[in-house]
Structure formats: C-alpha cells, structure tokens
C-alpha cells in the first residue's frame, strides 16, 4: 500500500494556480494626464504575517497589458520523470495563491469560448515584482525589474504535455492530437488576418486624417481627398482658405496658419494618448535612458504609490535619494527594440497588451496624419506582436508556456513587416534576421503561412484602391546598364554613411536637447515644438509636404505620364536645363527631411524609422540619378553610354532606380538589415533584373555603416536603455573563464542540508528575501550536502511553497527525499515537503570553463542561471543578468559600444 500511495503521489501532474498580486495605481496631480502603473512587490501584496503564519489568498484578478509580459498568465507546471522523482518544476509566476490541496485537481483551463472572451477582455492585474534594494550593493545585478524565461524547462513541460496527450490511443485521443497540432496553424491564420485588418484600418484612417490639414470632403468628411475626388475636377473638396474666406490673414497665410495648427493638434493628441501608457518600474538605481522612450520625468516614491506618505515594501530596502524609478511609455516609438528583448526571453511590462494595442493604433493614425517625419511601418511590428500575444490566450498550450508563446510572437512580428512593405518573404527573413531568438524549422513554416495570410488579406482589402499592398510598390520595365554599376556602388556607400551618421546624430540630439530639464519633465512640450518646426519649414516645399509613403513612391517610380498616382512635383526633367531646378528641389527637401527625421525620432508618439530613413536616402539617390542622367544627356556620344543614349536620353537612365537603391542603402545603414532588405526591395519592384544592383548596394552600405558606427539603431536603443538583451548574433571576444563572474559563496545564498534534510521555514524566508533584494526574482537557491551540489529550488517555487505552509513561524521544511518522512498515510501532499519543487539536476559548469562555453549555454540553451563547481564541489552560481552585465562592460572596454 505504501508503494502504491507513493506512486500515486508521483504521477505526472499539471497544476494551475492563480497569482496572488494586486494592482497599485498611483494618482497623478490634476494637471497631469499620465497613467501610473506601479508593479507590486511579490511579497508586498500578500497579507501581513504577525505570527509568521501564511495562508494563500483567493484573489483572482485578471492581468492586463501592464502585467509582466509573457509571465502574467495563470500557469504553474510541474514535471516528473518517468521514474517518479521530480525532474523539474516550471513556474511562470512569482507568487501564487491557491493551496496545493485545492489545486491538485483544479484547473482554470475553461472552455475555448470562455478563453476567447477572456482573451478579448482587458485584464486588470499586475504581478511584476518591485525592484529591490540590495543589502550587498557590490553584488547587485542589473535589470532587477526584469525576469527571464527558462527555455529548457518550458521545452520539458511541453514534452510531457505532448506525451500525455499522445498516450491516449482511442478515437478521441487521436482527435485531441489533431486538434493540438492544428492550434498553431489556426493561431497563425488568425494573427495574419487580424494584423491585415488593423493595417487596413490604419492606412485608410491616416490618409483621411492627413488630408484634414488641407481641407475636408463636403459630402463625407471622413473621406480623403483622393476618394472624395475620384473623377475629373473636384467640387466636393473644400480647402480651409475657401471655408474661412481668407479670414483673418488672407487666403495664403490663413491656410498656412490652419495647417500649422492642425499639425500641432494632431501630434499633441497622439502624444496625450501615448502618455496614458506610462508605466513606472521602481528601481534602487537610476537608469540613464536614450531611446524612443527617452527622458521621462523622475517620480518620487510618494507619487509612485499614489499617496503623500512614503511607502516601503516589506521586501524592499529604502532607496537612496536621487534614484527615481524607471519610467517608460509602452505605446511610444516603434517598439521593435523592445520586441527583440521580449523574444530573447526577458519580460517587459505592458508592451504586448490590449491597452497598448488600442492606444498605439489610435496614436499612430494621429501621428502619421499630423505630417511629422515618421512612418507607420515600424509600429506595425509592435502592433502585430500585440495581436500575437493576445491571440495566444485562446489556446492553453501557448498561453501557459513562454517558449511556445514566443513562436507565435515571432510569426506575428514577421507578419507586421509583411503588411508594412507588402513583402511576405521579407517578413519571414526579418523575423529570422532581426527579432527572433529561437527560430526552429516548424516556426519558420508557420511564420511563412502567417505572412502569406496577412499579405493576401490586405491585398483583398485594397486599402489604397490601387490593388497594391503598400503605396510605394513600383515597376521598372527598362533594364539597367553595366556602366551604372559604379553609380550604384557610390549610392550604396553614401546611403550606408547617411544611415550611420543618422544614428550618431540621434544619439547626440538625445544627450543634449532632451537632457534640458523642462523638455525632460514635459514630453508633450517637445512634441509641440517638433510639430511646430515641421509645420513651419515643411509647408513650403512640395516634397516635404507629402506623406512619407507617397513621397517615397514619387522618388522611386519611373517618370511616366500615364501613371495617375504620380504627383506633378517637378522632379521628372525632360531636358538638361530643367535638371538643376530638380536638383535644388531635391537637395532642399533632403536637408529639411534629414533634420526633421533626427529631431522627430524619440518623441513620445508612435513612430517608425523605416520609411523616413528610406525617404532621406531616396532624395539623395534621386539627386545622384539626375546627375548621371545629365551626364548622359549632355554627352550622348561617349563610348561608355553611347548605345544607351541612342534609345532615349530620358528613359535610358531612370533616377527612380537610384532613389530606391539609395533608400534601401540608407535603411540598411540605420537597421543593418541585409538579406531581408534585398528581398523586400525585390518584392517592392517585382523585378528580378534589379536584384543584383539592390544586393550590391546593400552590401556596400552595410560595410560602410559598420565601419562608421558599429551599432544599429535598435542595438543603440537596447544598449542605452540598459535592456537585458544578450545578443545571439554578435559574440564578444572572450579571453577569460567562468571564475571572473562568480561571486564568493555566502551562507545566505545556499541551503545546507549536511546536518539535516529539514530546514526551518523562517530561515528559508530570510534567504528568499535576500535573494529578492539582490534583484534575482527569477533566481534560485542551491541545495548543498557536504559541499556537493544536490539540487536547486527556484525562487518563485520556494516562495509558493512557503506561502502554502500553515504555520511558517515554527514550520520545518523537508529539502531531501527521506523514505520514512516521504510516505504518507492518507496519500495527500504534505505542504512541508519541498522536494517536488526541487530541480535535482541543475546545469553546472566547472569554474575553469571558458567564457565562450558560458555564452553558448546562456544563448543556445536559454538558461536563467548556471551553478559553478570546483573539483566537483559547489563554488557559486551566476545569473544570466550578471552575464549580460559582464558582456556589456566587456564591449564598452573594447570600444564596440
């Protein structure tokens, strides 16, 4: 009987518990419109323990987008080996609520319809732990407000789930297996379809909002000028000078003033919407930020807690003066850098929730419609990833497994690029080259399916009425000439240099202008100033007044009188005497757009950098193209191009080709995309003839940009924000071993069971508190017997186990299997038995292991921590965050940052 009871206790078990956390919303002053999301402490939200007695609460508040990204779901997975002993214990929460007994046979895995309704609901829970003040400042690790995903444990959890699912051999078992296999494809199709619908809504809406600066449609105010005036002369479109009859400054100046006022109004509304996604992450140290979310005002602890009295978490040491919390706005900027960090296995608050999705979509319409020098293509990646994150809530296996969830997020991010550029192949390569951290073959195929679904859906919706997915799709019918290869190389060099210089200029601008106290304290003021400058200097140039996507099309398209989508901009000269005027127009627009793009990048509105950088490069490339065109037209008898000139001097050289090649080269210099960008340009043109010029120019551009500025724009944002990102595409040069980053062993950082396998619960609580104060919310405590590592208990699991003790003050906890204690008369689990939570085989390396091996373990295996041994005996433990800090310092020392 004892054996049978023991076997029954060790059967494979999947358990689900609610997270015991609360939302701490701070209230702003009446004059402020920002929204504070203050993540609570894991212990600060539990009830007080006057007698050291802990019982779980029954709070069941659903999380929202301010919950810890990817870790705020309701899962807790325990895995047991086939031998009956616990092999691993997987946890995605930092504190838990339900007791072991109540959760043994209880699951919140409701019906699919219930999960659908819950997925569409805005959850109102935040479970991110507060940053901790360390008792040992020298040991404090970076990014204590972030937690990391354990890829190995998630993989093991999914393997046991699949094994249990396939163990059924009856008819319904086979049906369940088929349904489980189809869930990934269903999610990919749903994500692709929804992303395309959102892109259609943004494209149509921003065109109408953009035209409001010039006037409105009398028959339907929500129609853009193009849709209002579909045939011949337009009588329904009314300009503002016509509406106001030139009052009060005359027709010309009245239209100018109204234009500036609407630009400022739209940009301000977009900024105000973005500021509602303000998130405060308490920290015991100050982060100097430089990114799209730059220069947020410092928040005092009183503001942070929404009260006038200072409040200190039970686990948090008082912070030193002058160290405000970290603040960011989840809807600001493009979000690509943050998506990269998330897909690498780290958690960011509120970046992929429903609130962020709605606010970013609405704010993007207003910011693009205002005419600022920004694009919507970058934010499409963020919006699509939000859709993928929300859609994961429909199926349990994706909602409760971070590794599986990231497969969907990778596909969603790629779908964002597919709808942004009309390039499904480019989207797949973007996911592989830029954002994805783990990209197996299965994910590659599903990503391709998701991108095809999104592109086809958007093509059927036809947002521009041209049966094109994006506005700047072009077609070239004339092939390039061999003598143009030298010009293409020059264009690639200049484009790469322009992209690298843009990164340096953006860094300089953020470190100077945005450090002004009033600008730093009031981000809306910066948006108003940028909008004012944009309206003042962008109005008078016919090129800078156009939307960036339409301007990109006019710069890249070949001059053709039959093309109704081309504007009469004066950049299609037919004789040599008209080329200087076109060059002057292009050069002035190049200066204005270059300046506006630098000052616009980083303001608190949804904004992308892809198309604005392409426009700046397109202006430069178009100038080079006209110079080559002038040379051919002025000297048609030169042997190098005499045959070409005999055809037609104007059609022999196509300046639009130079514009598109330079646009791609500049974007390469900014983002360092290579193969992805070449494929995107190929899909934009649909011409195999120009694949070689595109590829050659992008190669030259990447080499040039890497020589001038080693970091891409997203590497720069990640580095300056101190995001915990371990780059798997750039490996530093290591000459040291593991001993360089291993701290000395402290008694409070280990659980010693040499004398007894029973440990007082109060001692474990103290060790857990010290671990949290060191910032290792997702760390663990190694279990040592006679200086030998015999196991490790993760911090979230230890906290959960302690919370379920009936009397923590006097309780004793079993930390090793003891047969006489392990057997139970009634077969029910003993809450003082912590052995099910212990990982008996944590990954360990010798202290003399080369740092290259450590890097491969963290990058390829996705470990949270590595135990360290010396001659078989325990010698310490290093956390992934500590290793990221070491790599960052090493790169700074080498001068690569």
């Amino acid at each position: 009987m004892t054996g049978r009871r023991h076997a029954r206790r060790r059967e494979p078990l999947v358990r689900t518990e609610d997270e015991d956390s609360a939302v701490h919303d701070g209230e702003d002053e009446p004059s402020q419109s920002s929204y504070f999301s203050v993540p609570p402490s894991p212990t600060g939200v539990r009830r007080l323990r006057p007698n050291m007695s802990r019982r779980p609460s029954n709070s069941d508040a659903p999380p929202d987008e301010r919950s810890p990204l990817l870790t705020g779901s309701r899962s807790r997975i325990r895995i047991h080996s086939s031998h009956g002993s616990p092999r691993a214990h997987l946890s995605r929460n930092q504190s838990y609520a339900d007791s072991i007994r109540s959760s043994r046979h209880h699951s919140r895995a409701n019906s699919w319809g219930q999960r659908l309704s819950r997925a569409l609901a805005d959850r109102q829970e935040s479970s991110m732990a507060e940053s901790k003040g360390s008792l040992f400042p020298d040991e404090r690790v970076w990014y204590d407000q972030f937690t990391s995903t354990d890829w190995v444990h998630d993989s093991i959890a999914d393997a046991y789930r699949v094994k249990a699912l396939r163990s059924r051999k009856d008819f319904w078992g086979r049906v369940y297996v088929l349904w489980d296999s189809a869930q990934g494809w269903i999610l990919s199709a749903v994500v692709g379809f929804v992303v395309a619908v959102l892109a259609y809504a943004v494209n149509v809406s921003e065109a109408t909002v953009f035209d409001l600066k010039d006037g409105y449609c009398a028959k339907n105010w929500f129609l853009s000028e193009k849709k209002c005036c579909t045939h011949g002369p337009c009588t329904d479109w009314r300009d503002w000078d016509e509406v106001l009859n030139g009052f009060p400054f005359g027709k010309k100046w009245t239209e100018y003033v109204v234009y500036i006022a609407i630009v400022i109004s739209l940009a301000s509304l977009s900024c105000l919407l973005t500021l509602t996604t303000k998130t405060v992450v308490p920290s015991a140290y100050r982060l100097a930020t430089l990114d799209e979310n730059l220069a947020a005002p410092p928040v005092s602890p009183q503001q942070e807690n929404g009260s006038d009295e200072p409040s200190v978490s039970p686990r948090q040491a008082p912070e030193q003066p002058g160290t405000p919390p970290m603040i960011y706005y989840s809807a600001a900027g493009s979000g690509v850098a943050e998506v990269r960090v998330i897909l690498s296995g780290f958690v960011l608050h509120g970046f992929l929730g429903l609130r962020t999705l709605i606010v970013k979509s609405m704010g993007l319409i207003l910011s693009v419609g205002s005419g600022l020098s920004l694009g919507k293509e970058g934010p499409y990646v963020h919006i699509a990833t939000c859709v993928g994150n929300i859609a994961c809530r429909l199926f349990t296996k994706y909602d409760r497994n971070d590794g599986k969830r990231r497969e969907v997020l990778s596909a969603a991010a790629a779908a964002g690029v597919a709808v942004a550029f009309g390039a499904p192949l480019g989207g797949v390569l973007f996911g592989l080259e830029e954002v994805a951290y783990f990209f197996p073959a299965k994910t590659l195929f599903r990503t391709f399916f998701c991108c095809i679904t999104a592109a086809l859906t958007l093509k059927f919706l036809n947002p521009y009425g041209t049966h094109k997915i994006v506005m700047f799709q072009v077609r070239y019918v004339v092939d390039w000439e061999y003598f143009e290869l030298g010009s293409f190389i020059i264009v690639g060099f200049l484009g790469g240099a322009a992209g690298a210089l843009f990164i340096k200029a953006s860094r300089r601008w953020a470190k100077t202008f945005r450090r002004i106290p009033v600008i730093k304290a009031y981000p809306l003021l910066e948006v108003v100033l940028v909008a004012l400058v944009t309206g003042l200097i962008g109005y008078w140039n016919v090129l800078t007044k156009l939307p960036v996507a339409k301007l990109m099309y006019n710069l890249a398209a070949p001059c053709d009188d039959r093309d109704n989508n081309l504007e009469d901009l004066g950049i299609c000269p037919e004789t040599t005497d008209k080329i200087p005027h076109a060059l002057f127009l292009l050069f002035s627009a190049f200066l204005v757009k270059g300046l506006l793009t630098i000052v616009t990048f980083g303001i608190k509105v949804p904004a992308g950098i892809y198309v604005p950088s392409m426009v700046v490069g397109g202006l430069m490339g178009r100038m080079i193209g006209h110079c080559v065109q002038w040379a051919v037209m002025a000297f048609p008898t030169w042997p190098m191009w005499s045959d070409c000139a005999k055809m037609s001097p104007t059609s022999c050289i196509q300046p639009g080709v130079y514009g598109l090649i330079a646009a791609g080269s500049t974007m390469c210099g900014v983002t360092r995309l290579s193969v992805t960008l070449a494929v995107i340009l190929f899909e934009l043109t649909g011409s195999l003839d120009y694949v070689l010029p595109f590829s050659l120019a992008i190669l030259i551009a990447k080499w040039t940009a890497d020589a001038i500025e080693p970091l891409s724009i997203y590497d720069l944002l990640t580095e300056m924000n101190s995001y915990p990102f371990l780059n798997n595409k750039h490996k530093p040069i290591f000459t040291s071993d593991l001993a360089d980053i291993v701290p000395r062993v402290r008694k409070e950082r280990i659980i010693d069971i040499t004398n007894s396998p029973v440990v007082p619960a109060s001692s474990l609580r103290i060790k857990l508190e010290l671990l949290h104060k060191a910032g290792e919310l997702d760390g663990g405590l190694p279990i040592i017997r006679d200086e030998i590592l015999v196991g490790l208990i993760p911090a979230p699991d230890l906290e959960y186990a302690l919370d379920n003790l009936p009397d923590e003050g006097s309780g004793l906890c079993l930390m090793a299997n003891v047969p006489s204690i392990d057997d139970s008369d009634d077969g029910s689990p003993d809450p003082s038995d912590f052995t099910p939570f212990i990982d008996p085989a944590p990954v360990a390396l010798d202290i003399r292991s080369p740092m290259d091996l450590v890097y491969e373990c963290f990058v390829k295996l996705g470990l949270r921590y590595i135990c360290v041994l010396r001659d078989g005996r325990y010698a310490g433990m290093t956390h992934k965050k500590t290793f990221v800090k070491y790599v960052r310092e090493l790169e700074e020392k080498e001068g690569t940052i």
Side-chain angles (χ1 to χ4, degrees):
M1 292 294 294
T2 302
R4 287 194 296 270
R5 284 197 302 268
H6 182 73
R8 185 170 60 252
R9 291 186 60 197
R10 295 302 186 188
E11 63 185 356
L13 180 63
V14 176
R15 302 201 324 225
T16 306
E17 284 90 5
D18 298 333
E19 182 169 352
D20 181 19
S21 62
V23 177
H24 291 234
D25 295 328
E27 298 180 358
D28 296 333
E29 297 178 0
S31 61
Q32 296 179 342
S33 60
S34 57
Y35 178 84
F36 289 93
S37 172
V38 183
S41 167
T43 56
V45 298
R46 294 194 298 266
R47 66 183 183 85
L48 298 177
R49 303 175 289 113
N51 297 320
M52 296 295 289
S53 176
R54 285 183 179 271
R55 292 188 182 277
S57 66
N58 295 319
S59 61
D60 188 15
D64 65 355
E65 79 280 352
R66 292 169 290 138
S67 303
L69 185 72
L70 311 179
T71 59
S73 22
R74 305 146 306 283
S75 69
R76 180 178 184 82
I77 303 174
R78 283 176 52 192
I79 301 174
H80 300 273
S81 69
S82 57
H83 305 291
S85 61
R87 287 291 303 166
H89 178 77
L90 302 189
S91 169
R92 286 178 49 205
N93 294 336
Q94 295 169 2
S95 61
Y96 304 89
D98 295 334
S99 67
I100 297 178
R101 292 181 177 87
S102 65
S103 64
R104 181 174 176 86
H105 301 290
H106 172 67
S107 173
R108 289 186 62 215
N110 299 323
S111 67
W112 190 87
Q114 290 173 313
R115 290 199 299 274
L116 174 63
S117 61
R118 186 173 69 246
L120 299 178
D122 192 10
R123 308 181 182 188
Q124 301 294 329
E125 179 180 344
S126 176
S127 60
M128 179 71 169
E130 291 180 8
S131 303
K132 310 299 174 294
S134 176
L135 297 184
F136 311 106
D138 59 318
E139 284 194 349
R140 182 169 182 84
V141 298
W142 277 9
Y143 324 121
D144 58 330
Q145 66 270 40
F146 298 95
T147 53
S148 58
T149 297
D150 196 322
W151 298 83
V152 174
H153 280 193
D154 282 347
S155 177
I156 297 173
D158 189 64
Y160 274 86
R161 182 193 64 81
V162 173
K163 182 179 180 181
L165 188 66
R166 294 180 178 177
S167 62
R168 294 187 56 176
K169 301 300 182 181
D170 58 348
F171 172 77
W172 287 111
R174 297 180 184 274
V175 171
Y176 292 150
V177 170
L178 289 176
W179 170 244
D180 182 76
S181 303
Q183 289 178 7
W185 298 102
I186 295 174
L187 266 185
S188 299
V190 169
V191 169
F193 176 79
V194 175
V195 168
V197 171
L198 287 176
Y200 171 81
V202 172
N203 291 338
V204 173
S205 302
E206 65 90 3
T208 301
V209 174
F210 189 92
D211 290 341
L212 284 178
K213 300 193 297 297
D214 298 320
Y216 69 97
C217 185
K219 61 179 180 181
N220 283 315
W221 64 270
F222 51 85
L223 292 179
S224 63
E225 184 176 4
K226 181 179 180 180
K227 293 187 177 181
C228 184
C229 310
T230 54
H231 304 290
C234 186
T235 58
D236 294 322
W237 183 261
R238 302 189 63 189
D239 293 330
W240 292 116
D241 59 346
E242 179 185 353
V243 174
L244 299 176
N245 293 322
F247 179 83
F249 307 109
K251 288 188 176 183
K252 180 179 180 181
W253 293 102
T254 297
E255 186 176 352
Y256 181 49
V257 171
V258 173
Y259 179 89
I260 295 175
I262 295 180
V263 169
I264 295 175
S265 300
L266 293 176
S268 300
L269 286 175
S270 178
C271 180
L272 291 174
L273 273 175
T274 303
L275 294 182
T276 62
T277 62
K278 184 175 186 176
T279 304
V280 180
V281 179
S283 178
Y285 60 93
R286 184 167 187 171
L287 293 176
T289 58
L290 165 65
D291 74 329
E292 300 148 319
N293 303 324
L294 178 74
V299 177
S300 64
Q302 292 86 346
Q303 292 175 315
E304 181 183 322
N305 292 284
S307 63
D308 296 331
E309 296 297 329
S311 176
V312 179
S313 166
R315 182 189 298 168
Q316 180 181 4
E319 296 184 358
Q320 298 178 357
T323 56
M326 178 182 178
I327 303 172
Y328 59 83
Y329 303 87
S330 58
S334 67
V336 177
E338 289 78 7
V339 169
R340 285 203 322 165
V341 174
I342 291 166
L343 292 180
S344 72
F346 283 97
V347 176
L348 290 179
H349 282 291
F351 245 89
L352 300 184
L354 183 61
R355 184 190 301 272
T356 300
L357 173 64
I358 295 174
V359 171
K360 186 139 195 173
S361 300
M362 296 176 61
L364 183 61
I365 294 172
L366 295 172
S367 62
V368 175
S370 66
L372 297 177
S373 185
L374 48 84
K376 58 181 181 290
E377 288 71 21
Y380 276 165
V381 176
H382 185 192
I383 290 174
T385 312
C386 290
V387 173
N389 181 58
I390 296 171
C392 284
R393 300 171 186 172
L394 300 177
F395 299 108
T396 303
K397 76 171 183 178
Y398 292 101
D399 189 29
R400 300 181 179 180
N401 190 298
D402 291 351
K404 299 290 292 181
R405 180 188 294 256
R406 279 172 171 78
E407 295 179 10
V408 179
L409 297 185
S410 299
V417 173
V419 298
F421 294 101
L425 296 180
V428 175
L429 291 175
F430 174 82
L432 182 62
E433 184 177 358
E434 181 67 20
V435 297
Y437 209 78
F438 178 65
F439 212 75
K442 179 177 62 176
T443 303
L444 179 67
F445 193 30
R446 287 180 181 171
T447 300
F448 180 57
F449 175 70
C450 184
C451 291
I452 291 294
T453 303
L456 284 177
T457 304
L458 191 59
K459 188 172 182 64
F460 286 133
L461 292 174
N462 193 18
Y464 300 109
T466 60
H467 300 287
K468 297 179 179 178
I469 301 178
V470 294
M471 184 177 293
F472 46 89
Q473 280 183 307
V474 295
R475 293 292 181 267
Y476 299 125
V477 295
V478 179
D479 200 358
W480 54 279
E481 300 292 336
Y482 286 102
F483 69 85
E484 294 182 277
L485 279 177
S487 304
F488 295 153
I489 292 175
I490 295 175
V491 167
F493 172 79
L494 294 178
L501 292 176
F502 168 80
I503 296 175
K504 290 184 176 294
S506 298
R507 188 210 306 254
R508 184 65 179 172
W509 177 259
K511 285 188 174 181
T512 54
F513 179 78
R514 292 199 179 110
R515 295 292 174 87
I516 299 175
V518 65
I519 298 297
K520 190 171 185 178
Y522 302 99
L524 179 61
L525 176 61
E526 182 187 7
V527 173
V528 172
L529 292 177
V530 171
L532 177 62
V533 173
T534 301
L536 288 174
I537 68 177
Y539 178 83
W540 302 107
N541 191 304
V542 65
L543 298 179
T544 58
K545 194 177 179 181
L546 288 176
V548 287
K550 185 180 290 186
L551 176 57
M552 188 66 244
Y553 178 78
N554 282 271
L555 292 174
C559 295
D560 188 354
D561 296 334
R562 296 169 297 179
D563 190 350
N564 297 326
N565 296 316
L566 279 178
E567 304 284 340
D568 186 12
L569 304 175
I571 57 174
C572 286
E574 298 178 353
T575 59
T576 55
D577 58 330
K578 294 182 179 180
I579 291 180
H581 173 72
L583 290 176
F584 173 78
L585 189 63
L586 292 167
F587 183 71
S588 60
F590 172 75
L591 294 179
V592 171
K593 270 296 179 183
L595 173 64
L596 292 179
T597 303
I598 291 172
V599 301
T600 303
F601 182 75
I603 62 176
K604 296 296 184 296
V605 295
I609 193 59
Y610 290 154
V611 175
S613 64
M614 293 180 70
V615 164
V616 174
L619 290 166
M620 178 180 61
R622 187 88 183 196
M623 287 188 289
I624 297 175
H626 283 302
C627 291
V628 176
Q629 185 184 40
W630 178 87
V632 173
M633 295 173 66
F635 307 98
T637 59
W638 273 36
M640 185 179 296
W641 53 67
S642 59
D643 293 339
C644 173
K646 290 177 182 178
M647 299 170 45
S648 174
T650 55
S651 63
C652 171
I653 301 299
Q654 299 186 82
V657 172
Y658 290 80
L660 187 59
I661 291 177
S665 301
T666 306
M667 183 177 169
C668 175
V670 173
T671 64
R672 306 303 157 84
L673 294 173
S674 55
V675 180
T676 300
L677 200 48
V679 173
I680 287 176
L681 294 179
F682 157 67
E683 292 183 275
L684 284 176
T685 60
S687 175
L688 287 172
D689 295 334
Y690 286 90
V691 170
L692 180 59
F694 292 152
S695 304
L696 178 62
I698 288 173
L699 281 175
I700 300 298
K702 183 165 175 57
W703 287 335
T704 304
D706 288 339
I708 298 175
E709 171 59 59
L711 299 181
S712 71
I713 189 65
Y714 298 120
D715 291 333
L716 179 70
L717 301 184
T718 302
E719 181 263 322
M720 296 304 293
N721 271 292
S722 294
Y723 285 149
F725 179 70
L726 187 58
N727 197 336
N728 63 336
K729 300 177 179 66
H730 173 69
K731 182 179 180 180
I733 300 175
F734 296 112
T735 57
S736 56
D737 52 30
L738 182 55
D740 287 356
I741 60 173
V742 177
R744 67 183 181 89
V745 180
R746 297 179 183 271
K747 291 184 178 181
E748 60 273 4
R749 288 297 192 94
I750 63 173
I751 301 175
D752 193 346
I753 60 172
T754 301
N755 299 323
S756 172
V758 178
V759 180
S762 58
S763 172
L764 294 177
R765 175 64 65 180
I766 293 174
K767 295 177 185 292
L768 180 66
E769 300 289 342
L770 294 177
L771 191 67
H772 284 157
K773 288 177 182 178
E776 297 183 16
L777 304 178
D778 50 358
L781 291 175
I783 302 173
I784 311 300
R785 180 189 289 123
D786 294 324
E787 299 184 6
I788 302 298
L789 177 68
V790 296
L792 183 143
I793 182 167
D797 303 328
L798 177 60
E799 185 170 20
Y800 168 78
L802 290 173
D803 288 348
N804 283 279
L805 289 177
D807 185 7
E808 185 177 319
S810 58
L812 297 176
C813 307
L814 179 64
M815 304 303 294
N817 286 319
V818 179
S820 60
I821 299 178
D822 191 51
D823 291 338
S824 176
D825 293 333
D826 57 0
S828 61
D830 183 3
S832 64
D833 181 7
F834 285 13
T835 56
F837 304 100
I838 296 174
D839 181 2
V843 177
L845 295 176
D846 190 83
I847 198 169
R848 293 177 291 271
S849 299
M851 201 64 74
D852 295 84
L853 178 59
V854 180
Y855 172 86
E856 296 296 335
C857 288
F858 279 125
V859 170
K860 300 296 177 57
L861 299 181
L863 302 176
R864 284 178 173 173
Y865 36 71
I866 295 176
C867 295
V868 183
L869 307 178
R870 179 187 285 111
D871 299 327
R873 298 182 180 275
Y874 180 77
M877 186 174 73
T878 184
H879 198 280
K880 183 177 183 179
K881 302 171 187 177
T882 306
F883 184 72
V884 173
K885 177 182 177 182
Y886 169 79
V887 171
R888 185 65 52 78
E889 292 174 347
L890 181 63
E891 291 177 340
E892 289 177 349
K893 187 180 301 183
E894 294 176 352
T896 58
I897 290 184

